[in-house]
Amino acid sequence: MTTYVDQLINKEYIDIPKYSPKDFKADIDVRWCAGCGGFSILAQVQRIMPDLGVPKEKISFVSGIGCSSRFPYYMNVYGFHGIHGRALAIASGLKVARPDLSVWVATGDGDCMSIGGNHLIHTCRRNVDINVIMFNNEIYSLTKGQASPLSKVGQKTKSSPLGLLDDPFNPTSLVLGSGASFVARGYDKDPGQLKYLFERAAKHKGFAFVEVYTNCVIFNDGAFEEYTRRETKFESTIMLEHGKPLIFGEKHNKGIKMDGYRPVVVDLDDGIHSVNDLIVHNEQDSTLALILSDMSFMEGLPRPMGVIQAIERPTYDEKVTWQIEHEIEVKGQPDIQKLLKGSDSWEIN
Amino acid sequence: MTTYVDQLINKEYIDIPKYSPKDFKADIDVRWCAGCGGFSILAQVQRIMPDLGVPKEKISFVSGIGCSSRFPYYMNVYGFHGIHGRALAIASGLKVARPDLSVWVATGDGDCMSIGGNHLIHTCRRNVDINVIMFNNEIYSLTKGQASPLSKVGQKTKSSPLGLLDDPFNPTSLVLGSGASFVARGYDKDPGQLKYLFERAAKHKGFAFVEVYTNCVIFNDGAFEEYTRRETKFESTIMLEHGKPLIFGEKHNKGIKMDGYRPVVVDLDDGIHSVNDLIVHNEQDSTLALILSDMSFMEGLPRPMGVIQAIERPTYDEKVTWQIEHEIEVKGQPDIQKLLKGSDSWEIN
Amino acid sequence: MEKQIIELEAATIRFAGDSGDGMQLTGTQFSDTSAGLGNEVNTFPDYPSEIRAPEGTLYGVSAYQVHFGNRKTNTPGDEIDVLVAMNASSLKVNLKHVRKNGIIIANKAGFKDKNLKLAKYEVSPLEDGSLQNYQVFAYDINEMVRNILQDSGLSTKDVDRTKNLFALGLAYCLFDRPLAATEKWLTKKFGKKPEILEANLKVLREGFNFASENQDMIVRYHIKPANLEKGTYRNITGNEAVALGLVTAANRANMPLFLGSYPITPATEILHHISGYKQYGVKHMQMEDEIGGITSAIGAAYGGALAVTTTSGPGLSLKVEAMGLAVILELPLVIVDVQRAGPSTGLPTKPEQSDLYIAMWGRHGEAPMPVLAATSSTNCFEMTVEAVRLALKYMTPVILLTDGYLAQGSEAWKVPDVNTIPEIKVNFATNPEGFAPYNRDPETQARMWAIPGTPGLEHRIGGLEKENGSGLVSHDPMNHQRMCEIREAKVANIANDIPPVTVDGPESGDLLVVSWGSTHGAIKNALYSLRQKGHEVSHVSLNYINPLPRNLEEVMRRFKRILVPEMNLGQLKTLLQAKYLIPIIGYHKIQGNTFTSKEIEYKIEQLLSEKEN
Amino acid sequence: MEKQIIELEAATIRFAGDSGDGMQLTGTQFSDTSAGLGNEVNTFPDYPSEIRAPEGTLYGVSAYQVHFGNRKTNTPGDEIDVLVAMNASSLKVNLKHVRKNGIIIANKAGFKDKNLKLAKYEVSPLEDGSLQNYQVFAYDINEMVRNILQDSGLSTKDVDRTKNLFALGLAYCLFDRPLAATEKWLTKKFGKKPEILEANLKVLREGFNFASENQDMIVRYHIKPANLEKGTYRNITGNEAVALGLVTAANRANMPLFLGSYPITPATEILHHISGYKQYGVKHMQMEDEIGGITSAIGAAYGGALAVTTTSGPGLSLKVEAMGLAVILELPLVIVDVQRAGPSTGLPTKPEQSDLYIAMWGRHGEAPMPVLAATSSTNCFEMTVEAVRLALKYMTPVILLTDGYLAQGSEAWKVPDVNTIPEIKVNFATNPEGFAPYNRDPETQARMWAIPGTPGLEHRIGGLEKENGSGLVSHDPMNHQRMCEIREAKVANIANDIPPVTVDGPESGDLLVVSWGSTHGAIKNALYSLRQKGHEVSHVSLNYINPLPRNLEEVMRRFKRILVPEMNLGQLKTLLQAKYLIPIIGYHKIQGNTFTSKEIEYKIEQLLSEKEN
Ligand SMILES: Cc1ncc(C[n+]2csc(CCOP(=O)(O)OP(=O)(O)O)c2C)c(N)n1
Ligand SMILES: Cc1ncc(C[n+]2csc(CCOP(=O)(O)OP(=O)(O)O)c2C)c(N)n1
Ligand code: SF4
Ligand code: SF4
Ligand SMILES: [Mg+2]
Ligand SMILES: [Mg+2]
């Protein structure tokens, strides 16, 4: 007897309706502050949904607690506003129970990397097929302005009025070190790239982590200005493209090469260096990914944006399904009565 | 008025007694199984204690729960057998409250990297000056044989009788990705190197993480045989030494060089390669550390043993002290009465 | 023009407007001024859970209420005498609390079509006669301030921002209060921006003048100073009182203070305050989660610090396992839980008293712990010091319960002289002779406290059951029973070290109201009013919940009926019935806000009349 | 030689030795053989918390006890009739439980000087006359098996390892049991190692023969088969019963099963079993911690699985926050807590009943939840199915309490016919018309369950308070009160859907014993014995704790006195007193083991005699 859940899992879709982004807007006011970076993320997520190739009812958004974690309320799909830090564990259970769903997690830098840190690293390791969007505003916003594990050393926040002592995580290094298979970074003010990254994350079979620099106009306004402002962004960031050399700068005249095991900036106009010296990005090279991520936090080096790594390996949820199929293949269809009886029973007559 | 704690913190030691390892043995039977790898760790820790330059009463061992976490009972210093997964948070509070202490944590692969994962990564990031010895036996022993996050894919354990589906962490990558300042690896059957690594960890100002491959004779016997058996260990491991090229093999005829951004094995006898091609280990190069750690889990490459990284930066606990000193310097000696009065009081007469 | 002066015992004013309208600031100024005049003062800020809700919406209304009087005010007041409504939504949301014939000062500029629509009014309430039961004074304050500042050179945006000060000036006039304190405060705040300062002062004064010259507003209220003890006073919220209580207690115990915490509304301000006290040698760690918060504190306690962790409901739930560890370790630890409405995330910005169960019983195994509760914002200070005293004296974790209402509301507080607060004695073990970590003080049953760094006392402790005395791990059955009983008796025995309850009202009779925590104030006011009507009702207000004061049972037995009003579904009721087998009449309000005095009054009158039938 | 046959109703044998002596296996064999003969059987393994404690030590003793009889045995037995002691330590540790005149079979080889020293004996108890109150049979079993196997070619180590089978053979002879079942089992186990098999069979038989020919051992005990229902039987531990109950319930509900868990003694075996059931489509995740265990289960429940999480005390403490989430989400979830001795790590391998408080009240906010308790190892199966039924029918998390004693002890279990277990109906919402996620079933108050994948029912839920019906986030005060009351009423209402309590004994009278969970068995045996002495005492055994069965109060009121024995300091007592205001006589044993029947019997006799005075 197939269960209702099995029916849903196995349902075949002949033609999925043609959606527009509007179909994914929930009928509710978005309660973020005017100017919040979240709006840009929401718009891009809603833009890519129609083309996922997934019927609306098969999409689920899970979140924790925070301004960012209000996200599911704004999406007209299945939504689960969880508790602080637990979105990824909830989503893991959901995805394993329901591999047919497209499972997304919206989370903040605190929700994801502070209280949720343990679930994050283990979900990376297991490679559960979940798409995570981490709204990084380098602050706790919903609770009105305390330091997050991504806040800067020395930063004055409500919980560090005399200057923050903690060193922050390098968030992409953390997830790479934990075994994440897809890692990318974008920012709220570049909607085109965001859209691309969300599409890539959706397509990636396995755990996909997208960090988004998200301006909080109230509690940490301008935290990412250096990387997003027209005047500075060309020098302070580098856009990664698979197969392309690492070139940056407003005039495309700077590059990154390896000096021993360390990346350094070279001037392409210095008559000494050429494009051939430069690192060529390869999304499938795990060591390169570590180098690029590590470089993000190095003084004098631009911050890589885009897809840092995209390496597929079997996902946890599909392995669960395979193991069940394999067991049934080997041992036959289940017989509960036999299970109850066990191997050492006796009869009383 | 100085507090009793202040007196302890500020106490000066003219001469510390000459200890022998025996002074650090607690008067209690060690309740590990005969042959447990833990004995080797215990012996080496007791051996290095006399030379720490720290009076016995200033040493504290903290642990969680597990076979390995019984460790503090066996040391005749201050000991705290905590709850599962929380050793590092307990130790952080202890070290911040008591920067005068030499604080050590004994933990298992489950205690440290499963339930304790969040405290681990945050303690790495903050760089609290704690020395961590992680007894990695790739299994939950105290609970009698379930998979740990370091168990191997496909491994049959009590909780994965049909084969484990989870991909394990690469533990050194996890801590490096989290910002650990000192990272090393040794194994129970090489006591000499263990002693060296513990000494180095003790000397390192900041968070020091030593992973020790620890054989559990009962629930995961032989898990590390490849790396510890005479017949295979020379080909399957490489001993890192600062400033030395990466050479390994029973006949010292193999080396590791970089091929692009990836480490590869070269044959030093092939007439093509020489020592000059090889990576030279540098404990202070964070990128190299990532490469070496990543290489640990790569097919065909030897597993690095020894100090993978040792980079000092200010510790969290000393920054706390500095901030207090700075505040007193700037604002003067504290006056509680003034604090209570606040800035907006009024008088009623 | 002659004004009609009305003498009042107490009054309540509420400033309400959009989140951006500066109502919190306006309310604070009014409160400070009143307190400075010698009034008793209680305040409560009431703001949306959204950070910046969209302008003009119903859920974006932000308000600040001030209750002030010549006698103890006890609560921020349940009925509003004067409502300042800066827009239509703020009127809509607050009108139901304005007393009949109360005054409404409305800013007409906030009642345009757009505002009405957002407030879901069809017609302007200022025009449709629906406010006939109130005294309404509606002016276009935006226009007025633009006129006042037309030559100031300030931008319209800056000009419009001063409108709250116009309203404040008006309110000052209405209640016959001087401008001086606010003028001084403005001068301090805008000292470096003279044009802004000038504009603000001008608007404030013009507001006052407008009211004093206005023909319609002929009534003036006058409230005499309260009969306050001499001394230095300040306003204090419950959260700040806890923070200051901790620093003070650490000082009295001559111990370093350590706070391990994680932000959570409405407890976070304790962390904010403490994190600014570095000058006082206070250490704090904002940990990765609440489990880290409490376990780092336990580590610090082990190291000899006065260790504290602060949180609210969801965080308390996460600390449960570690609280059990603290119990078996018998280490001193103060756990402050600022209660909010649950279950789960619930109504995170709203107060509730529903963490009593978890505080009493929320741990696996037998893990008893003293539970204290603060009854007012200022009482938070005293109970914090008391929690520290008990934790240190009895070597035990102690839970202090406050709630969002006490935590964020404020009261005028007589600043105590630190030296009059009793010293807290702590005896660290230092003598190796005969030392064992679970040797106990024969009187308190507190175990010895030996901290790392003390030569010769090296020992091991942990979460496994340990032998009484030696502290060695023990699986001995009788020892376990004994240790469980000792831990329970140690806490129960604290009953001999805390004040017996006192009865407010007759010592025996028909009806006794028993309350705990923040319902205190509303009940006090209800009884005040009932007594004026000639009813004799008694009240016991509990600060100690575990153990209960030793005379409580006897006191309760002197009454025929016991009423327990709680902001939950009957948690103290469960406890009292279980302990004393005395039937309790529960009165359960669980609506994300406290009881009003009127509600209590009504409930009691109902009970009294039932009796008469 | 003629043997003296003694007919017994029941007997208790305990096999005790070093951890490496194979006592668990020996005991299991004895139990299986007895059960196969048609006896009622209860067993309990008792092993050290160390994995491999050092040889010969007191704390390294491992034992397995079997209680078997021709009537319901109920417990593993409190007094030992026959103790097999393979070394000095095992005698020392277990002697106090051997009844007067009981039999002790001792392996002399385990009483050498080294053993005596480790067991802290000055002189050998086999020689100093201290065992005169027992029938002692001491032989050098090591030597005997070496003789028996001298030509086997096996190593001494392998030879020595067979000594437990010699003892088993002896025991079989003593109790007149056949060897066939164990022979069969050995054959299956060592089929591939014929020399080992041969040796084992030989030693087993020689043990039997030795006893039958031995001049001293003239007594034989005979225990008739019990009057068991016809059917298929097996031994089952409480943990396996839970695992099988879950799979069965999932089958009856036609739902996929999902377990999110984290290992912890003594609950881990549930995870072990479930993780082997892949063939049955069961999914499980061993999560990183207990919080992940429960939250992954909540995620799976949201996705439409029958979701379960299993743990013991410390793990339950960690799940507290997420349990509150499940309450407000109103999603079905089964939480199994296998209780062990706390607080904190406590005595991790020992049973206790001290998680009742946390199960009832251990959540912030008002977060009521049904609480069930299993009373025996086999009852774990039924109560698991029942927990699933209630969770699914009422859309609520349900806690099932078992304990280490039930979990690891085993009983003979009549395997049920799956098809006789009632189907569990689950109605997923599928119709978009008028759908709202918090619309409720008028009878059960269960909300609608709409799961992802269902077209047209897209909606959002979460931990914030929500409007009844629509499920939209709501800060409305009255809605919050209503929702809190609905959640409470929904659970309370389950009282109408569970069986009323039945009284074992007279329906009214002087003394009623009320118990919950695993104390059931000891009380049953005590009452059996008391009745034989002519005492009329009644007993109510609770499977349902929240809500309590609807007739319980009335039943209790029919008795003058109520005794509640619990393995804690009075947790059910607190609950009953709070609910019914009926005074309870508590009897609190908290020693890491259960009550013996004798203790209960004695306590009751004492109460009865007090009455007589
Ligand atoms: C268990 C628990 N602890 C703490 C909180 C309080 N809390 C809510 S959101 C939050 C942090 C939010 O920061 P982030 O995840 O960065 O989200 P943002 O608001 O910045 O988008 C905290 C501490 C909570 N709700 N639950
Ligand atoms: C909160 C909690 N969860 C689970 C347990 C059970 N437990 C004790 S030790 C352990 C794992 C031990 O594994 P590891 O840390 O690798 O230590 P080892 O025994 O292998 O040295 C577990 C799951 C516990 N004591 N507390
Ligand atoms: S407070 Fe910050 S993060 Fe939150 S909604 Fe406003 S701008 Fe966005
Ligand atoms: S079970 Fe394994 S880890 Fe534990 S003491 Fe024995 S050998 Fe060591
Ligand atoms: Mg944030
Ligand atoms: Mg381990």
Side-chain angles (χ1 to χ4, degrees), chain D residues 224-245:
Chain D
K224 289 220 193 81
N227 195 1
L228 290 171
E229 258 180 83
K230 264 192 194 179
T232 306
Y233 283 77
R234 62 175 291 191
N235 270 323
I236 195 165
T237 64
N239 274 343
E240 190 161 10
V242 169
L244 291 177

Side-chain angles (χ1 to χ4, degrees), chain B residues 67-68 107-111 135-142 148 216:
Chain B
C67 287
S68 34
T107 177
D109 46 323
D111 193 61
F135 294 54
N136 180 13
N137 53 15
E138 294 188 353
I139 199 84
Y140 284 8
S141 290
L142 189 71
S148 100
C216 169

Side-chain angles (χ1 to χ4, degrees), chain A residues 68 108-110 135-141 148:
Chain A
S68 34
D109 46 323
F135 296 53
N136 179 12
N137 54 15
E138 294 189 353
I139 198 83
Y140 285 6
S141 290
S148 102

